[in-house]
Amino acid sequence: MSKNTKLHSTSFFNSRLTSTISISLVLFLLGLIALMGLLANNLSVYVRENISFSVVLKDDMKDVDVKKLQKRLDISPFVKSTEFISKERASKELEEELGENPEAFLGFNPLLASIEVKLKSEYANPDSIGVIEKSIRSNTNVRDVLYRKDLLQMVNDNMKRIGLILFSLAAILMVISFALISNTIRLMVYSKRFLIYTMKLVGATNGFIRKPFIMSNIVTGVVAAFLAIGMMIGFFYYLTVEVSDLMQLFDVKTLLFVFVIVIVLGVFISTLSTYMAVNRYLNMKIDNLYRV
């Protein structure tokens, strides 16, 4: 092998390595944004489903009627779970909070039995709860329905704001990533511009010329995607060690979905960027090839 051939091979390997690393870093950032978006969505579901409201029951309500009401709530499409809290339990919980038993100075238990209801996340919004509240109040054994309207509104507003911020970041990063990957691939194609022109002279079709460039960069995109996935796994492992509760918001399906997104983006952006870069030189005259 001649010295020039060795230098050419080394230069090609270095450019390919640089391109792969550059693309993998961009895909890593895109993957993190996707991961953060899913994390925000899962966190929103988790928070919404843990906001409960109390169905306060009348004091003279019979046990059989309580069970019927709770069963009716359990089978409702908007309910995730219910829990009956007796007068005695409510009194004990209040005593733990205040440090004093209200029965000691009142002479009776002033609290009422209730059913704590947790809604499914899609129903945990002010409009839906308003309809649900009206339906529950229609029961003659229900004394009141209590929930924090301000807290519910605040959670919904904050989740919408977080979603908008993440979407904006994803859109901006997508544009930046496409520009960076396009420039990286364009530099690789640039070194082959005279080869492209020569192939055109001997009668090669545009599709025939594009194919090896596209196939080569698809492989680069896939390799870069797997490198990005490896970095994401390391980053995710570090987060779960530092914040153990984070595991509650993720499952294997969520992570696999993000990994598939990263691979698809790697292939798609590499293919589109290569197509555009090769087309640029396919339509360029010989004089202009020396000037670019």
Side-chain angles (χ1 to χ4, degrees):
M1 186 180 287
S2 65
K3 185 176 181 181
N4 287 335
T5 304
K6 287 182 179 179
L7 287 173
H8 177 75
S9 299
T10 303
S11 175
F12 177 79
F13 175 78
N14 289 338
S15 64
R16 180 68 66 183
L17 181 63
T18 303
S19 173
T20 304
I21 293 173
S22 300
I23 294 172
S24 66
L25 290 174
V26 173
L27 291 176
F28 171 67
L29 291 176
L30 284 173
L32 284 186
I33 292 294
L35 200 63
M36 287 171 62
L38 290 172
L39 173 62
N41 181 66
N42 291 349
L43 180 61
S44 173
V45 171
Y46 178 80
V47 171
R48 289 168 192 253
E49 290 186 345
N50 278 277
I51 296 177
S52 61
F53 66 89
S54 299
V55 179
V56 183
L57 308 175
K58 289 184 177 180
D59 204 20
D60 58 351
M61 188 174 181
K62 297 178 181 179
D63 291 342
V64 65
D65 292 329
V66 172
K67 290 178 180 179
K68 284 182 180 179
L69 177 59
Q70 187 172 7
K71 187 175 181 180
R72 196 185 81 183
L73 289 171
D74 283 332
I75 62 175
S76 299
F78 52 83
V79 172
K80 181 190 176 186
S81 64
T82 62
E83 183 181 9
F84 175 70
I85 298 177
S86 64
K87 294 177 60 174
E88 293 73 20
R89 178 179 167 183
S91 177
K92 187 176 180 181
E93 289 178 354
L94 184 61
E95 182 181 356
E96 290 175 355
E97 290 180 12
L98 301 179
E100 189 174 356
N101 190 338
E103 291 187 55
F105 57 91
L106 291 176
F108 66 96
N109 186 353
L111 303 176
L112 296 172
S114 64
I115 299 175
E116 293 293 315
V117 180
K118 290 184 178 180
L119 299 174
K120 293 178 181 177
S121 60
E122 58 267 31
Y123 293 96
N125 58 75
D127 293 337
S128 295
I129 288 188
V131 176
I132 294 168
E133 179 185 3
K134 186 176 180 181
S135 174
I136 293 174
R137 284 183 183 277
S138 64
N139 190 306
T140 55
N141 288 312
V142 173
R143 183 184 181 91
D144 202 358
V145 178
L146 304 175
Y147 63 95
R148 291 280 305 277
K149 294 182 181 179
D150 55 338
L151 176 62
L152 190 65
Q153 188 64 50
M154 182 184 69
V155 168
N156 279 277
D157 290 344
N158 287 339
M159 290 306 169
K160 286 180 182 177
R161 194 175 296 115
I162 291 171
L164 181 61
I165 291 171
L166 287 175
F167 178 79
S168 301
L169 282 175
I172 293 170
L173 190 57
M174 192 70 180
V175 173
I176 294 173
S177 65
F178 182 77
L180 289 174
I181 293 176
S182 293
N183 287 335
T184 302
I185 291 176
R186 190 177 298 171
L187 288 173
M188 292 179 62
V189 177
Y190 172 80
S191 63
K192 303 289 184 181
R193 65 193 186 282
F194 290 109
L195 176 61
I196 292 173
Y197 184 76
T198 303
M199 292 175 72
K200 278 193 69 177
L201 288 179
V202 299
T205 62
N206 289 349
F208 182 84
I209 296 171
R210 287 192 205 100
K211 185 176 179 180
F213 288 98
I214 290 176
M215 294 304 294
S216 175
N217 283 304
I218 283 177
V219 173
T220 300
V222 171
V223 172
F226 277 101
L227 285 175
I229 288 171
M231 289 188 285
M232 288 177 63
I233 291 173
F235 181 76
F236 181 72
Y237 176 77
Y238 172 77
L239 282 182
T240 53
V241 170
E242 293 295 319
V243 187
S244 57
D245 292 339
L246 199 63
M247 283 299 294
Q248 297 179 16
L249 302 177
F250 279 110
D251 53 30
V252 176
K253 288 183 180 179
T254 300
L255 292 175
L256 288 177
F257 180 70
V258 174
F259 296 160
V260 169
I261 288 176
V262 170
I263 294 172
V264 170
L265 285 175
V267 172
F268 173 74
I269 297 177
S270 297
T271 301
L272 184 60
S273 300
T274 305
Y275 183 89
M276 293 173 63
V278 174
N279 270 7
R280 182 188 181 195
Y281 297 111
L282 283 174
N283 301 318
M284 194 174 287
K285 295 181 179 180
I286 184 64
D287 293 339
N288 293 330
L289 292 176
Y290 290 97
R291 298 172 185 172
V292 293

